Amino acid sequence: MSARDTDWDGVRLHVVTGKGGAGKTTAAAALALALAAGGRKVLLVEVEGRQGIAQLFDCPPLPYEERKVAVAPDGGDVYALAVDTEEALIEYLEMFYNLKRAGKAMTKLGVVDFVTTIAPGLRDVILTGKTSEAVRRKRPDGSFVYDAVVLDAPPTGRIAKFLNVNDEVSGLAKVGPIRNHADTVMRVVRSPETAVHFVTLLEEMPVQETLDGIAELTEVGLPVGGIMINMVHAPMLDSAELAAAGAGELDVAEIVRGLKASGLEHGAEETAEALVAEAAEHARRTALQAREQERLAELSQPRYVLPLLPDGVDLAGLYELAEALREQGAA
């Protein structure tokens, strides 16, 4: 059994994608914390300009530079980078064409927007290139600066196109710096050290997008990692109670008697009816989760369950999710 069958040892670039609303950024942040635990250094990168990482780690908006945002359990550091497309393009022009001043002029003229609109593949090369550079970066002694890099990537519907930059630039450049840069990016993305993880909810549309996304990546030869199942509701009723609630067979009169016996005389009937309705909804959701779990179980990819946080996602919640990933062998 290979390492990737049981955990993500050996993977240095973790690309995290998922349907909008599935908690992709939250899962990426939790993964970065989990990977950094025990004294490692991890970089968390976002490319969509939403400053989602800053919000999750309760820090000011991130500039276009790598900054430490958290200390992981048992030591270890998480750094974050919010990639700004304009700054990255200027950096790219300076690196390959010695055109930093021209790049700034282009920004003022709005040429950056024009270029990335007519040639969106170039934008993706720049964004993925910045991430792959961080993966490859080494210290003078030859060791890697970062033990792992986590990329909070675009949603599932765009992930194959975003990562498969060779196809995207094929119409732009056959030779030269752009072509060479794209080839370098693809060597990183297609290597065994890269894994694309999918974040999903146990609902029909997110699960279907995950299935379609995995099939699409497999078809173009990009490496699929694990599936992080987010916001999972733990059953609050046993199987018999769930069956009764789902079938509408709960005894309202019995619940009323129990409420009154507990001292709740006023409004006992209304409370009992509300409880029955809530139990029916809970049974429906639990059945839905089980059905979607079965669909995901047909895949060969490892699955990791992230619980629903009743108080919402805050910094403490991120550490809780990171611990859940560690316990399940994801890091």
Side-chain angles (χ1 to χ4, degrees):
M1 180 177 288
S2 68
R4 195 173 295 184
D5 290 328
T6 55
D7 54 34
W8 297 336
D9 285 345
V11 177
R12 301 197 61 254
L13 173 57
H14 298 263
V15 180
V16 180
T17 186
K19 179 177 170 56
K24 169 174 65 70
T25 300
T26 298
L31 176 59
L33 280 170
L35 292 168
R40 291 181 288 273
K41 184 177 180 181
V42 173
L43 177 65
L44 175 60
V45 182
E46 71 174 357
V47 294
E48 295 183 280
R50 295 185 292 105
Q51 289 289 339
I53 293 174
Q55 295 174 33
L56 282 171
F57 286 100
D58 194 23
C59 63
L62 295 169
Y64 182 49
E65 62 182 45
E66 294 159 21
R67 287 196 173 181
K68 183 176 174 179
V69 293
V71 176
D74 304 321
D77 297 316
V78 175
Y79 284 72
L81 172 65
V83 179
D84 178 270
T85 305
E86 290 187 355
E87 292 287 346
L89 180 55
I90 292 171
E91 185 177 75
Y92 178 85
L93 292 172
E94 180 184 20
M95 183 183 305
F96 292 107
Y97 298 101
N98 196 26
L99 292 174
K100 184 172 185 178
R101 187 172 298 174
K104 290 182 177 179
M106 288 172 65
T107 301
K108 292 178 182 178
L109 293 171
V111 177
V112 171
D113 289 337
F114 177 71
V115 169
T116 56
T117 298
I118 66 170
L122 177 58
R123 178 182 183 275
D124 290 347
V125 169
I126 292 168
L127 295 176
T128 53
K130 185 65 179 175
T131 304
S132 65
E133 181 278 323
V135 173
R136 304 190 316 272
R137 194 186 311 158
K138 292 185 177 182
R139 301 182 181 91
D141 64 2
S143 62
F144 286 110
V145 171
Y146 291 106
D147 295 289
V149 175
V150 178
L151 172 60
D152 178 17
T156 309
R158 209 170 80 78
I159 190 63
K161 192 172 184 180
F162 175 77
L163 293 175
N164 201 22
V165 294
N166 258 357
D167 286 352
E168 291 302 297
V169 303
S170 61
L172 296 175
K174 303 297 184 184
V175 295
I178 294 177
R179 174 82 266 168
N180 293 338
H181 192 49
D183 289 343
T184 300
V185 170
M186 289 311 299
R187 279 195 293 272
V188 173
V189 171
R190 290 187 183 277
S191 79
E193 294 185 339
T194 294
V196 183
H197 310 302
F198 287 78
V199 181
T200 187
L201 305 178
L202 288 177
E203 298 173 3
E204 185 175 356
M205 287 186 64
V207 168
Q208 188 59 52
E209 281 207 16
T210 297
L211 298 175
D212 293 343
I214 289 174
E216 187 177 14
L217 288 192
T218 302
E219 184 178 346
V220 298
L222 293 173
V224 178
I227 301 170
M228 289 182 273
I229 306 170
N230 198 19
M231 295 187 246
V232 176
H233 298 245
M236 294 182 289
L237 303 173
D238 62 31
S239 56
E241 292 169 333
L242 285 170
E249 296 174 352
L250 291 179
D251 190 336
V252 177
E254 183 180 350
I255 296 173
V256 170
R257 288 193 295 271
L259 291 171
K260 289 182 175 180
S262 300
L264 185 63
E265 292 285 344
H266 180 70
E269 289 77 8
E270 292 82 357
T271 301
E273 290 175 359
L275 288 172
V276 168
E278 188 173 334
E281 173 59 23
H282 179 65
R284 184 200 67 80
R285 175 171 284 278
T286 301
L288 172 64
Q289 286 194 158
R291 185 168 67 249
E292 298 306 321
Q293 280 272 31
E294 289 178 1
R295 295 175 71 196
L296 292 172
E298 296 177 1
L299 300 171
S300 61
Q301 284 74 28
R303 299 181 302 281
Y304 307 93
V305 174
L306 298 177
L308 176 69
L309 300 177
D311 297 326
V313 180
D314 55 12
L315 193 54
L318 278 182
Y319 280 89
E320 184 178 336
L321 296 177
E323 183 59 28
L325 285 172
R326 293 179 68 198
E327 288 176 354
Q328 294 172 77

